[in-house]
Amino acid sequence: MNYSANTNIKTFFYEFPIIDRDVEESAPLVAKQALKRIYLTTEHAFPNTNRRQRVTHKDEKYLNPLEFACDQLQSKTNEIRRILAAAHQPSGNELVVDQSSAKRVDIKRLQLMLQGAVQPTVNAGPLAFAEAFTSETQKSKYGVEELSKLVKAFQEMAVACSDALKINEVAIGSDQVEYHAMLKNAFAAMLERLQQFFGNDIIDDIRESLGLAPDDSNQNTKDVFNRNNQTSLHIFDSIGGVSA
């Protein structure tokens, strides 16, 4: 348990989604869904012998649909980074990709996070944000500067996924080679879709970090959708501990 994250806590928050009524009704749900986050500050810190504390300050933060999308992408990136932190060098933040460091990583949890990030069939996936906010209506509504924040959020998530794939590759056994190949292909497919939505610049540095040539992802993109869907679902169920 992280001691500092659970000690001397005075600020808490809760949140709930809301619909932005200024967005046209025909827009996708992700383009309409905003978030209200409420921050509460208590008189004394927790843990405390008193189970109830007086709230001394309340603050509200509103995230418009684009900000909410960026927030969700960043949360996913942060979660992957937290899992990968176990593979860092003891004296720094550099990721070490070898079997010794991979043993310290919660691989099943990492795989589930990767699956949710790159596999397009899981709740539509992060690509739903790219599709929703690159329409001409949304571009006009938010402008280039605001949309650049979404691009940055995707870049950071993709680089985190790239690092996660490297760790997963050295951690898995022979029984998960096909699953890893599917994740890697799905990641390549995601990069190609991001290129379609945002242009070449967003993926140049990501491809470089993967050691991919400019056209390497094309065949991978085709291959990932040629796999048998039932086999894919069976592999996902096995990773998630679901019995067939």
Side-chain angles (χ1 to χ4, degrees):
M1 183 178 70
N2 188 333
Y3 179 82
S4 61
N6 295 276
T7 307
N8 295 325
I9 308 300
K10 294 183 65 175
T11 302
F12 306 84
F13 75 88
Y14 64 93
E15 58 190 24
F16 52 90
I18 57 177
I19 297 298
D20 187 341
R21 300 299 178 186
D22 293 333
V23 180
E24 57 185 19
E25 291 187 8
S26 60
L29 178 60
V30 294
K32 296 186 290 186
Q33 193 165 51
L35 186 79
K36 181 173 285 189
R37 187 170 288 157
I38 312 297
Y39 293 88
L40 303 175
T41 302
T42 58
E43 185 175 14
H44 301 290
F46 285 92
N48 197 291
T49 54
N50 294 324
R51 298 179 62 182
R52 301 178 67 180
Q53 292 287 343
R54 185 167 68 91
V55 173
T56 58
H57 183 71
K58 178 181 178 181
D59 193 19
E60 295 185 4
K61 183 177 182 180
Y62 172 79
L63 300 181
N64 65 38
L66 179 61
E67 292 171 333
F68 186 27
C70 293
D71 185 75
Q72 291 183 76
L73 291 174
Q74 190 61 59
S75 294
K76 192 175 292 291
T77 300
N78 291 342
E79 183 61 26
I80 293 174
R81 287 297 181 197
R82 276 193 289 269
I83 300 171
L84 290 175
H88 287 173
Q89 288 183 341
S91 59
N93 293 322
E94 184 179 351
L95 183 70
V96 180
V97 182
D98 57 29
Q99 290 187 342
S100 177
S101 59
K103 288 180 180 178
R104 301 193 299 268
V105 175
D106 186 341
I107 293 299
K108 179 174 287 190
R109 187 174 164 212
L110 182 66
Q111 289 173 340
L112 289 173
M113 290 301 301
L114 265 173
Q115 176 182 317
V118 304
Q119 185 66 15
T121 58
V122 180
N123 297 325
L127 285 175
F129 298 132
E131 183 174 10
F133 291 104
T134 52
S135 69
E136 291 303 319
T137 301
Q138 297 299 317
K139 287 180 180 179
S140 176
K141 176 179 175 63
Y142 291 106
V144 174
E145 184 175 350
E146 289 300 307
L147 286 173
S148 67
K149 298 176 183 178
L150 183 66
V151 173
K152 182 179 179 181
F154 269 114
Q155 288 176 327
E156 292 176 350
M157 188 192 75
V159 172
C161 288
S162 170
D163 288 343
L165 283 169
K166 294 173 185 175
I167 287 292
N168 191 62
E169 187 168 16
V170 300
I172 61 172
S174 58
D175 59 323
Q176 290 191 331
V177 170
E178 183 178 358
Y179 175 75
H180 177 75
M182 183 167 52
L183 287 177
K184 194 171 182 179
N185 288 341
F187 179 68
M190 184 183 75
L191 294 185
E192 184 162 298
R193 292 292 304 280
L194 289 176
Q195 182 183 33
Q196 293 171 1
F197 288 126
F198 298 112
N200 294 332
D201 291 344
I202 188 174
I203 62 170
D204 285 345
D205 58 336
I206 302 168
R207 281 178 170 167
E208 183 178 351
S209 71
L210 281 176
L212 292 174
D215 294 324
D216 280 354
S217 65
N218 293 339
Q219 188 58 46
N220 285 338
T221 303
K222 297 175 184 177
D223 290 345
V224 69
F225 294 113
N226 289 334
R227 294 185 180 274
N228 183 281
N229 287 336
Q230 291 184 346
T231 301
S232 301
L233 289 174
H234 174 70
I235 294 172
F236 286 147
D237 287 345
S238 298
I239 294 298
V242 179
S243 300

